[in-house]
Amino acid sequence: MGRMSASPDHPPVSVDASGRSAVAAGGNVGQAFTGPGAVGLNIGTAHLMSPVACPRAETVDCPPGLDNLHSRATMFVGRDDELAALDDASAVPGRALAHVLHGLGGIGKSTLAARWASRRSESHADAPAWWIRADSRSAIDAGLADLAVALQPSLFALLPQEQLAEWALRWLASHSGWLLVLDDVSNPQDVTPLLSRATSGRFLITSRQSTGWRGVAEPVPLDVLPGSEAVRLFTLLHREDPGAAELCEELGHLPLAIAQVAAYCAQSGCTAREYLEDLADLPAEMYAAKDENRDHERTVARVWHVTLDRLADDPLTARILLLLAWYAPDGIPRTLLGALGSRPAVRGALGRLAAHSMVTLSPDGDTVSVHRLVQAVSRTKDTSDRHRTPTAVADACTAATQALCRAVPDDIDDPSTWPVMRSLLPHVEELARRTRPEDDTEAMTRLLTRTGDYMLGAGVGLAPRALGLLQRAVSSCGRLFPPDSVELLEARVHVADAQRMLREPRQIASLVEEVLDDCERALGPDHRVTSSARMSAYRVASLTGHHERALRLARETFAGRVRTLGDAHPLTFGARQAVILATAETGDVHEAHALITQLLADCVRVLGEEHPETLAARAVATVLAHQADFPVAPLTAATRVFAVLQDGGDLVGAVRGMVDEFDSWGPIDIPRATEEEVAVAERTLETCLRVLGEDHADTFAAKLALAQVYAATQDERQVERAARLLGEVLSAFGDDQHVTTMVEGLLLVLGTVLGEHLSLEEHRSPGLTRLFEDETARTDRTDLGDSAP
């Protein structure tokens, strides 16, 4: 007996029915399930269906080999760890096993799911492997309804979608061994009810959403392919191409992009190199390009457009993504986004972008990373994409430039600001690389000038890159500012400094003098830019052997800085050290040693033990302390080499002069170093490494000073340490680094001390070999080879 009520649209009427499988209705209830499983439809003119047509879900077996996998992913590479994780997973009794593959759109989530599902179905032929597009709850219901019909075709004509989905859920809850792939889930809450109903079987979910899966499914994050596997995928889909590695690198090793490009190249017949050239010239067209057989919605541009559409309720997400596009992909300081909105608003927008795998936040939340191809597409103007209109992209570039300008510290000579500058440097360089010089604004020129200035003092190997930024700054300043402007003159001074570090001093002496004259005429003798120009002129005079002029320029710089900055300013101490080195170069080493001793004491008292000026003074003091008893001529040459190491210049010439002087005097009795002097030199190097970093010029100076002290102990164990330390210095530079030649020259000079502990042949570059073994090299600088400056 059963009892049913009328439809909610009609007054409630209770009626009774008796008899097995009987149904009573007080109106039209649409449908009713009887006890055995038959269904009555349109009760009012009721008729009953046979249980054979609509059996209970629990009683239906799966047809052999049932699956609807949209792809077998035969063109597949890599992902061994992820496949193994899925293979090795074990279920908890009483609940289905669920994993979620999450990552950036185009990372290969669906392809991996198809690959694993197809492999699994081979060993589970008696259970279905069913693929459901799951980007909404309605799509999930539709997929479940299709599963119900596949299991019991007669249901198609009997039940609406909602009841079909319910029937499928009952089937899943009562059977085991099945696999349900839920592809492109946009919200974990959409699948939670489904997963909670299943007590066995497996779910494999793909989603761009990286958060919200705790207690729902086990996350399996996906990253881009390694470089070798990216090239293998391109080759598998197209053919071998010598430019494939470079192309895959430009595409950020993103599987969807590689597949899209490989198919396009195969259809169009273009090479990887030709595609790269087209990508540089016509990025918008190439990011949207596809072969004839590829779904338009599966291009990289469209994939991320869909994600931004999902985030469209917060316009800040798109603005952040477009701004981030102008920086280097990794380590973007979150502080650069401060002007876009309040801290909670920016934090929330970043959180949503991260949740949809468009960005990655560092564990501490201080920095952001973006896939380079996401950046490339975001920088590309597209009138058909409301997120990337020409105005939106241009505004993002302006905002990115202004954010960096605000972030650059006021005093880049202050060591406390160097960590900030190190974090900003890659993003300034990337912004410069992604923008056209003719579009530079006044803000951009100042950014380039200040960053180039920082680079010249930050590391020995940064000078070539600094020169590129500074030359661009000079060109743009010439367009935007008057000829005698501070902006243009300051950029010219720094260009001269960079040229001095990279070219022979005689080649740029006239340039340096011209800049100094212009600064004195336009800005006056005591202006900070004029002071920098005079210091540059001092260094060139020193490197070209004009020691009296160098001493005069150093003294003028020191006096000017005392007048404008006071005698306790770090820049004043730097000029004072220049006077000391110039004094030593003129031959008055005892006076220089006395002066550096007093300078070191003043630096410690005013600036502290770990200030860069203190560390530089200590290195100079270490060197001069062991040269006070040397003959004047070779000592002057050695002092010049030390000055070159700190300031850059003609290192080959300086080493040649030092070696010639040492050769002329024969064996020299080097003063023996004490244990205390060794300890001081070791502490100085440790501090330089910690405060200045591995690549700073003063760090290399400290290493060489320590090596000299080790050698001067004349103790075999210490000499071995000197040899190892000098070898470390050499290993930090390739043949094309100008410091290599200078260090190798010092090794030759110290050869009488180091003896058999260091094999020069293991370290000598071709340029140095010609320098010291080819007699013509002593008079013809062109014979030094490619490794010489």
Side-chain angles (χ1 to χ4, degrees):
M1 177 182 294
R3 174 173 294 177
M4 300 189 65
S5 297
S7 159
D9 296 330
H10 297 84
V13 177
S14 294
V15 294
D16 291 328
S18 61
R20 184 167 182 169
S21 303
V23 174
N28 184 8
V29 297
Q31 62 185 19
F33 284 87
T34 68
V39 176
L41 296 177
N42 194 21
I43 306 298
T45 57
H47 58 279
L48 296 178
M49 303 302 297
S50 165
V52 175
C54 187
R56 296 174 58 211
E58 294 81 358
T59 66
V60 174
D61 293 328
C62 174
L66 178 64
D67 76 53
N68 72 333
L69 300 180
H70 73 293
S71 168
R72 300 291 169 178
T74 55
M75 300 293 189
F76 187 87
V77 300
R79 306 297 193 196
D80 294 337
D81 292 342
E82 291 82 358
L83 290 169
L86 295 175
D87 287 338
D88 298 341
S90 57
V92 176
R95 62 180 295 187
L97 185 59
H99 287 84
V100 55
L101 308 174
H102 66 81
L104 175 67
I107 206 75
K109 303 179 294 294
S110 299
T111 303
L112 175 59
R115 177 70 168 184
W116 186 79
S118 64
R119 290 198 328 183
R120 183 183 184 276
S121 64
E122 295 172 1
S123 58
H124 292 73
D126 57 342
W130 201 253
W131 190 284
I132 294 177
R133 180 163 181 81
D135 55 352
S136 65
R137 291 195 178 187
S138 61
I140 295 172
D141 287 342
L144 289 170
D146 291 342
L147 173 61
V149 171
L151 289 165
Q152 184 64 40
S154 61
L155 298 179
F156 177 75
L158 300 177
L159 302 180
Q161 178 176 294
E162 179 182 355
Q163 293 298 325
L164 288 170
E166 175 61 28
W167 192 95
L169 283 173
R170 294 206 311 275
W171 190 94
L172 293 171
S174 58
H175 291 76
S176 61
W178 49 264
L179 169 66
L180 218 60
V181 180
L182 303 174
D183 187 37
D184 197 23
V185 174
S186 58
N187 191 327
Q189 295 179 359
D190 290 344
V191 298
T192 301
L194 169 59
L195 270 62
S196 66
R197 292 278 297 273
T199 58
S200 62
R202 291 199 68 163
F203 292 98
L204 183 56
I205 303 166
T206 73
S207 178
R208 302 176 199 186
Q209 185 88 11
S210 63
T211 59
W213 297 106
R214 185 185 298 273
V216 178
E218 184 69 23
V220 180
L222 294 191
D223 203 348
V224 296
L225 293 172
S228 60
E229 292 179 358
V231 172
R232 191 153 63 93
L233 178 61
F234 181 89
T235 303
L236 189 66
L237 295 171
H238 181 31
R239 64 169 184 264
E240 289 190 1
D241 189 309
E246 183 181 358
L247 176 57
C248 291
E249 176 72 20
E250 184 64 26
L251 297 175
H253 301 152
L254 189 74
L256 174 63
I258 294 169
Q260 175 185 333
V261 171
Y264 175 86
C265 289
Q267 176 180 288
S268 63
C270 76
T271 65
R273 168 54 53 191
E274 289 171 334
Y275 188 94
L276 280 169
E277 293 172 355
D278 290 343
L279 186 60
D281 296 337
L282 304 166
E285 292 184 26
M286 300 312 295
Y287 288 132
K290 62 181 184 66
D291 68 297
E292 292 298 325
N293 298 319
R294 184 166 293 272
D295 181 1
H296 169 69
E297 295 300 315
R298 292 302 295 167
T299 63
V300 290
R302 287 296 303 170
V303 165
W304 297 326
H305 177 92
V306 170
T307 300
L308 289 177
D309 278 348
R310 293 177 180 175
L311 300 172
D313 58 313
D314 184 3
L316 185 57
T317 55
R319 290 178 59 204
I320 288 177
L321 199 62
L322 264 61
L323 184 146
L324 295 176
W326 297 96
Y327 298 148
D330 300 314
I332 304 171
R334 210 166 95 175
T335 52
L336 293 175
L337 306 176
L340 296 181
S342 65
R343 284 194 300 273
V346 171
R347 188 184 307 117
L350 278 174
R352 295 191 67 193
L353 286 168
H356 285 78
S357 303
M358 295 299 283
V359 304
T360 302
L361 304 180
S362 63
D364 58 11
D366 290 341
T367 62
V368 185
S369 297
V370 194
H371 189 275
R372 61 185 300 171
L373 198 56
V374 173
Q375 292 180 300
V377 172
S378 299
R379 286 192 304 268
T380 304
K381 301 172 184 177
D382 188 347
T383 55
S384 65
D385 188 333
R386 64 192 178 100
H387 304 298
R388 296 185 289 122
T389 64
T391 299
V393 172
D395 288 347
C397 181
T398 299
T401 304
Q402 293 172 343
L404 283 172
C405 288
R406 287 190 297 268
V408 172
D410 291 334
D411 184 7
I412 59 175
D413 293 322
D414 182 353
S416 66
T417 68
W418 292 354
V420 175
M421 287 303 300
R422 280 195 293 269
S423 70
L424 297 179
L425 177 57
H427 308 299
V428 176
E429 291 188 288
E430 187 68 14
L431 177 64
R433 192 164 76 92
R434 297 300 180 183
T435 53
R436 302 186 307 169
E438 55 266 33
D439 295 332
D440 284 349
T441 61
E442 294 183 3
M444 184 66 172
T445 61
R446 293 189 180 98
L447 179 64
L448 295 173
T449 299
R450 301 194 68 197
T451 304
D453 182 19
Y454 161 76
M455 293 171 72
L456 292 179
V460 173
L462 294 180
R465 288 155 52 194
L467 178 60
L469 295 184
L470 291 166
Q471 287 176 327
R472 174 169 167 175
V474 167
S475 176
S476 296
C477 283
R479 176 171 52 84
L480 297 169
F481 298 101
D484 290 340
S485 65
V486 173
E487 291 82 2
L488 177 56
L489 289 171
E490 184 171 19
R492 289 177 59 196
V493 168
H494 295 319
V495 165
D497 268 334
Q499 295 278 22
R500 171 182 52 79
M501 297 175 70
L502 297 170
R503 298 173 60 189
E504 292 185 12
R506 283 184 292 275
Q507 295 177 343
I508 62 154
S510 60
L511 169 65
V512 171
E513 293 296 334
E514 178 184 346
V515 172
L516 176 58
D517 289 344
D518 290 344
C519 288
E520 289 180 332
R521 174 180 50 80
L523 305 176
D526 286 342
H527 193 279
R528 61 175 181 83
V529 175
T530 306
S531 180
S532 296
R534 189 177 295 110
M535 182 64 82
S536 184
Y538 143 73
R539 288 164 176 156
V540 171
S542 171
L543 296 170
T544 53
H546 297 90
H547 302 307
E548 294 298 333
R549 173 168 170 74
L551 180 58
R552 179 174 60 81
L553 288 169
R555 286 171 173 168
E556 290 177 0
T557 303
F558 173 58
R561 289 182 176 177
V562 169
R563 288 192 298 271
T564 57
L565 302 174
D567 59 5
H569 193 278
L571 290 178
T572 305
F573 284 133
R576 187 171 157 190
Q577 184 185 130
V579 172
I580 294 170
L581 285 171
T583 299
E585 288 179 348
T586 60
D588 197 348
V589 179
H590 288 282
E591 174 65 13
H593 182 245
L595 292 174
I596 196 63
T597 302
Q598 183 58 54
L599 173 60
L600 177 58
D602 291 344
C603 285
V604 171
R605 175 176 52 81
V606 176
L607 304 177
E609 289 279 358
E610 297 187 353
H611 192 279
E613 290 297 342
T614 305
L615 297 174
R618 194 178 300 283
V620 173
T622 299
V623 171
L624 292 180
H626 290 278
Q627 294 180 351
D629 296 328
F630 275 24
V632 172
L635 175 59
T636 301
T639 304
R640 280 194 60 211
V641 170
F642 192 84
V644 169
L645 175 63
Q646 289 192 311
D647 297 327
D650 184 9
L651 291 157
V652 174
V655 170
R656 179 191 290 117
M658 181 180 65
V659 173
D660 287 344
E661 293 293 346
F662 271 79
D663 286 345
S664 68
W665 280 88
I668 297 174
D669 185 17
I670 300 177
R672 189 183 298 271
T674 65
E675 292 184 2
E676 176 59 25
E677 289 171 327
V678 170
V680 169
E682 288 176 336
R683 287 196 300 270
T684 300
L685 176 57
E686 291 171 1
T687 306
C688 285
L689 288 168
R690 176 167 47 82
V691 176
L692 305 178
E694 183 77 30
D695 294 332
H696 197 276
D698 286 336
T699 301
F700 286 107
K703 286 185 177 182
L704 294 178
L706 177 57
Q708 174 180 311
V709 173
Y710 278 154
T713 63
Q714 302 182 31
D715 177 90
E716 183 175 352
R717 290 173 300 176
Q718 299 288 47
V719 170
E720 290 177 352
R721 290 180 181 177
R724 287 196 299 269
L725 186 60
L726 290 170
E728 290 176 10
V729 174
L730 277 179
S731 67
F733 297 94
D735 263 353
D736 59 339
Q737 293 286 348
H738 62 275
V739 177
T740 303
T741 306
M742 188 276 296
V743 174
E744 290 172 329
L746 290 182
L747 292 178
L748 291 177
V749 173
L750 294 173
T752 56
V753 178
L754 301 180
E756 62 184 10
H757 297 294
L758 183 66
S759 174
L760 296 180
E761 296 302 325
E762 294 179 0
H763 303 288
R764 184 176 296 179
S765 68
L768 186 76
T769 300
R770 285 189 291 272
L771 175 62
F772 289 104
E773 294 182 357
D774 186 347
E775 288 300 321
T776 61
R778 291 184 174 272
T779 56
D780 186 356
R781 192 176 300 270
T782 62
D783 288 337
L784 297 182
D786 292 338
S787 65

